[in-house]
Amino acid sequence: MLRSPPQAVFVLTGAGVSAESGLGTFRDAGGMWSRFDPMRLATPEAFAEDPDTVLDFYNLRRCGVLAAVPNAAHAALARAEARLAARGGRLFLCTQNVDDLHERAGSRTVVHMHGELLKVLCQACTRTFARRTDILRTDVCPHCARIGTLRPDVVWFGEMPHHRDAIEAALAGSDLFVAVGTSGSVYPAAGYVSLARARNIRTCEINLAPSDNADAFDEARYGRAGEAVPAFLAELGL
Ligand code: APR
């Protein structure tokens, strides 16, 4: 059955879309959470107890992001966004990733539901601002002049993801939901495929291997994102 091309595409990406850029995933064999304890590095309690260790962990990850380059999957998604816009459609890109590879590949609207590693949050005045260098406990907030209140502007376990209303509104108005490079193990992102199915929105998973919620998808394309994403978007004329 020939389908009409999608006009309102919702793409959810996870760590797998940046794997071929050299940024590690979390739950694959040898993934970050098999080497580090997220409860000691990625929670507000861990930061309160040992800020230097947490800051060092994110300073190291920030260096990795700055050294990485976007891959063919990031580039294909940026092209698809432009092509959809040219025909009066839209691609809503929601990422769980805290890197800036989608932006560097040319995606113009990227919604970071888990925050951004290249931004800093002041816990005292709650202002956020761009930062490409290490965050130290001795840093002074440029807005409120307090010392020791700066942290990476990323969402830790136990904290609320960003932009949930805008994300769910965009999902509801979509005619295609595509998940790329995510294990489907962390909510609310892992539940978005169910929200799509409940609205009879076509769903497709693009991943190296079936994810935890693979059964919820209508279709799947398995392989490395750098090949599978451009190929799938080409099927859509994007
Ligand atoms: N191409 C496509 N998929 C890949 C590739 C690749 N080259 N390499 C790995 N994958 C897949 C893995 O098979 C896995 O299913 O990407 C997925 C990555 O899953 P996770 O490591 O769990 O990462 P993610 O789903 O993004 O984690 C969600 O958990 O720890 C939190 O905040 C963190 O945003 C993260 C969230």
Side-chain angles (χ1 to χ4, degrees), residues 13-17 19-20 25-28 33 96-97 114 155 157 181-186 206-211 223-226:
T13 62
V17 82
E20 291 152 77
T25 59
F26 296 96
R27 295 174 185 81
D28 286 315
W33 297 148
Q96 300 171 89
N97 300 339
H114 291 166
V155 177
F157 289 101
T182 181
S183 60
S185 52
V186 174
I206 301 177
N207 212 51
L208 197 59
S211 69
R224 295 157 63 94

Side-chain angles (χ1 to χ4, degrees), residues 3 175-177 200-204 218-219 221 232 236:
R3 284 193 185 96
D175 52 19
L176 173 61
F177 172 79
N200 295 319
I201 295 167
R202 180 185 167 194
T203 57
C204 183
D218 301 318
E219 311 171 48
R221 302 288 187 282
F232 179 70
L236 303 176

Side-chain angles (χ1 to χ4, degrees), residues 79-139:
R79 277 196 308 274
E81 178 191 56
R83 289 172 179 165
L84 268 167
R87 67 188 199 200
R90 64 100 168 122
L91 186 149
F92 187 96
L93 180 53
C94 172
T95 187
Q96 300 171 89
N97 300 339
V98 294
D99 63 59
D100 66 337
L101 296 181
H102 284 305
E103 290 89 341
R104 281 197 266 152
S107 289
R108 299 169 64 82
T109 44
V110 184
V111 176
H112 284 272
M113 64 182 293
H114 291 166
E116 299 179 63
L117 200 44
L118 300 185
K119 284 189 177 166
V120 179
L121 166 68
C122 173
Q123 292 197 132
C125 68
T126 72
R127 300 282 289 272
T128 61
F129 51 96
R131 179 74 170 252
R132 301 170 72 84
T133 56
D134 285 358
I135 305 173
L136 304 173
R137 198 148 52 112
T138 52
D139 283 347

Side-chain angles (χ1 to χ4, degrees), residues 9 22-23 53 129 134 164 185:
V9 179
L23 296 183
T53 299
F129 51 96
D134 285 358
R164 287 188 69 172
S185 52

